[in-house]
Amino acid sequence: MKKTLFLLFAVLAFTACSDDNTSDMQLDGDCMVNELALDGYEGTPDLITRTVTVRIPEKYDAAMMSVTKLTLSSGAKGTIKQGDMLNLTAPHVIRVTNGDTYLDWIVGVKHDEAKIKAFKINDTYTGIIDKEKKTVSVFVPETLNLTALIPTITISDNAVISPASDIPTDFSKPVEYTVTNNTATSVYTVTVTPIGKPEAVYVGLASGMGQLNIEELTACKWMLENIPNSLYASFDDIKKGTVNLSECKVIWWHFHKDGGVDGKNAFEAAAPVALAAAVKLRDYYNNGGSFFFTRYATNMPAFIGAVKNDACPNNCWGQNEAEAETVSGPWSFSIAGHTDHALFQNLVMNSSEPNSVYTCDAGYRITNSTAQWHIGTDWGGYADYTAWRNETGGTDIAYGGDGAIVAWEFPATGGNGQILCIGSGCYDWYSISDVTGHYHANIAKMTMNAFNYLMNK
């Protein structure tokens, strides 16, 4: 009987461990990793998180690292020992036991990193970072005093930067910034370019490009990097006249909104700041200025007097960026009858489908944000393409699978500028998941074609 009671007591004592798999009898120091080094690089143990983090050089190969030092609590044993070789390309679990107690420790490496991750001038003008060349380019209006601009800089964790962030700096000439993080060091050259009379403007609802959503920001950065003498401006800037448009040939607005913008009333509710600038935009248009409107911005022509019946695309929808659809194969739209249009030249084509433009590849995450014109007698108000052309004054140049118009233009007439629109859900700049690009290169190429076309190049 005594033996049975003793065994029962032992079982109860063993199962009385806390949720962290340690005995109630354990002392904090019983199963500690006091010291650990890999290839001579010292780790930092943390009892609260039960981790040991070993910092190693930026490009150090962690696939085969030697345990060069290991000190545990007195009397404790571990599942590794000094001299063992570990693959630290992924975290490694070490169990430290001491009598009837144990703790599991997670050992991981952290590569030293010395990067500028974000750069902004006066909390408004966002820098374009070239990771390979280690350069930062910022485009600002010429009205700013370049000798006293305030940079706000985001850098890698644990890193330091010189000169410091958030202090007035003279950017009248390029400034070198040195980022240091343990064994890693990088030198970035920051160039601020003042633009007085831009030839191209990317316009948005946000006061600065840094406040754009990721879809719009990706498109805007592309323009600043690829279209000479281009600038970001807010609609408020346009309204107030703080941007000189006297030499501007093209204004581009790529408007994304999670969940879509379905119909004229929805557009008015989603973009009141844009509508507040409509008078200035109409003046620009009437004086020969051209527009490139993409995604939900294709509603805007109706508000600047470019559409005969003042109508907007009648078939619109879209998903949220965080829940974007993963495509199983490339998506495309049709350019039948318009393969010779300037917008569709020199693209990556599928040789077996000369009338299709593919814009993304398998695995791409797409919101399928669409603003198109439904054509047909079933609904929508346009019985056929001829009816749509007559009523809107537009020219259709691309089509969806059901025949909807997904790209169109309003030709220059009577001294007005020209307007080019792409409302296809295939025209997408940003994917949450990285995908090796092939057909997606067509997005940038079509956009360059659009600028050249509207600038008469």
Side-chain angles (χ1 to χ4, degrees):
M1 181 68 177
K2 290 181 180 180
K3 184 180 293 185
T4 302
L5 289 174
F6 174 79
L7 291 172
L8 177 61
F9 175 79
V11 170
L12 290 173
F14 181 79
T15 58
C17 295
S18 62
D19 291 340
D20 57 16
N21 298 321
T22 62
S23 166
D24 288 341
M25 299 174 61
Q26 178 193 337
L27 300 176
D28 283 347
D30 284 352
C31 300
M32 280 288 293
V33 174
N34 295 322
E35 296 178 304
L36 186 145
L38 300 171
D39 287 357
Y41 295 101
E42 297 282 346
T44 303
D46 187 326
L47 177 60
I48 295 175
T49 59
R50 291 181 194 159
T51 60
V52 182
T53 303
V54 181
R55 294 183 63 179
I56 59 178
E58 189 170 12
K59 297 181 180 180
Y60 197 85
D61 185 0
M64 192 64 67
M65 299 189 72
S66 172
V67 180
T68 51
K69 181 190 292 185
L70 181 61
T71 305
L72 308 176
S73 299
S74 178
K77 296 181 179 180
T79 52
I80 66 168
K81 63 183 183 301
Q82 189 167 324
D84 284 354
M85 303 299 291
L86 304 179
N87 182 353
L88 267 301
T89 55
H92 188 91
V93 177
I94 299 174
R95 174 162 293 186
V96 179
T97 59
N98 200 339
D100 65 348
T101 64
Y102 70 87
L103 285 180
D104 286 336
W105 291 76
I106 298 175
V107 177
V109 298
K110 185 173 184 179
H111 287 84
D112 293 333
E113 180 183 87
K115 295 180 179 179
I116 291 179
K117 294 190 170 183
F119 194 100
K120 187 180 292 186
I121 291 290
N122 290 4
D123 201 34
T124 301
Y125 307 100
T126 301
I128 300 168
I129 301 171
D130 188 316
K131 297 177 182 178
E132 299 300 321
K133 297 180 180 178
K134 290 189 168 48
T135 60
V136 182
S137 302
V138 191
F139 300 90
V140 301
E142 67 173 358
T143 53
L144 292 185
N145 177 10
L146 297 189
T147 64
L149 301 179
I150 300 176
T152 300
I153 312 169
T154 303
I155 57 178
S156 304
D157 293 342
N158 304 312
V160 294
I161 189 169
S162 178
S165 177
D166 299 310
I167 61 172
T169 303
D170 183 355
F171 285 101
S172 58
K173 57 184 178 181
V175 177
E176 286 192 347
Y177 283 86
T178 301
V179 185
T180 305
N181 188 358
N182 200 26
T183 64
T185 299
S186 297
V187 178
Y188 287 79
T189 301
V190 178
T191 303
V192 177
T193 303
I195 296 178
K197 299 178 180 180
E199 290 187 60
V201 168
Y202 185 106
V203 68
L205 301 177
S207 60
M209 63 178 284
Q211 287 74 53
L212 295 173
N213 58 59
I214 189 62
E215 169 71 23
E216 296 174 345
L217 181 60
T218 304
C220 181
K221 284 184 175 181
W222 178 90
M223 188 196 79
L224 296 181
E225 291 173 343
N226 291 277
I227 305 300
N229 201 29
S230 61
L231 187 69
Y232 174 82
S234 69
F235 279 106
D236 196 48
D237 291 329
I238 299 294
K239 177 185 175 183
K240 293 177 179 177
T242 55
V243 177
N244 189 331
L245 298 178
S246 62
E247 294 184 12
C248 182
K249 296 181 179 179
V250 179
I251 294 177
W252 179 23
W253 184 21
H254 180 63
F255 179 27
H256 171 79
K257 187 176 187 300
D258 275 354
V261 179
D262 186 9
K264 195 170 186 177
N265 292 337
F267 178 78
E268 291 174 343
V273 179
L275 300 187
V279 172
K280 287 292 182 68
L281 294 173
R282 184 186 292 236
D283 289 343
Y284 167 81
Y285 174 59
N286 289 340
N287 288 323
S290 293
F291 290 97
F292 183 37
F293 290 127
T294 51
R295 196 160 287 190
Y296 304 122
T298 56
N299 287 274
M300 196 65 189
F303 295 89
I304 59 174
V307 187
K308 283 174 60 176
N309 62 352
D310 294 329
C312 292
N314 60 8
N315 192 200
C316 311
W317 67 85
Q319 300 171 358
N320 296 331
E321 197 73 68
E323 301 167 351
E325 178 180 353
T326 301
V327 303
S328 58
W331 281 18
S332 67
F333 57 82
S334 171
I335 57 172
H338 305 284
T339 55
D340 59 346
H341 193 283
L343 186 63
F344 309 127
Q345 302 309 301
N346 302 312
L347 303 181
V348 179
M349 301 295 288
N350 182 333
S351 59
S352 64
E353 298 181 56
N355 291 323
S356 296
V357 171
Y358 285 90
T359 62
C360 64
D361 306 279
Y364 190 91
R365 296 284 299 278
I366 196 167
T367 61
N368 193 18
S369 297
T370 301
Q372 63 184 19
W373 299 88
H374 176 77
I375 304 297
T377 56
D378 49 348
W379 64 274
Y382 304 101
D384 51 36
Y385 296 123
T386 299
W388 178 84
R389 294 165 193 151
N390 290 338
E391 293 184 42
T392 65
T395 301
D396 43 299
I397 58 175
Y399 313 92
D402 62 353
I405 299 171
V406 300
W408 61 98
E409 59 184 326
F410 297 100
T413 57
N416 292 337
Q418 191 169 2
I419 297 178
L420 186 59
C421 298
I422 302 178
S424 170
C426 295
Y427 184 84
D428 191 285
W429 276 94
Y430 174 77
S431 170
I432 294 174
S433 302
D434 289 334
V435 177
T436 300
H438 179 60
Y439 288 121
H440 191 251
N442 285 335
I443 296 296
K445 184 58 184 175
M446 276 194 296
T447 305
M448 181 61 79
N449 287 344
F451 274 95
N452 290 336
Y453 179 60
L454 294 172
M455 289 179 167
N456 298 314
K457 292 185 177 180

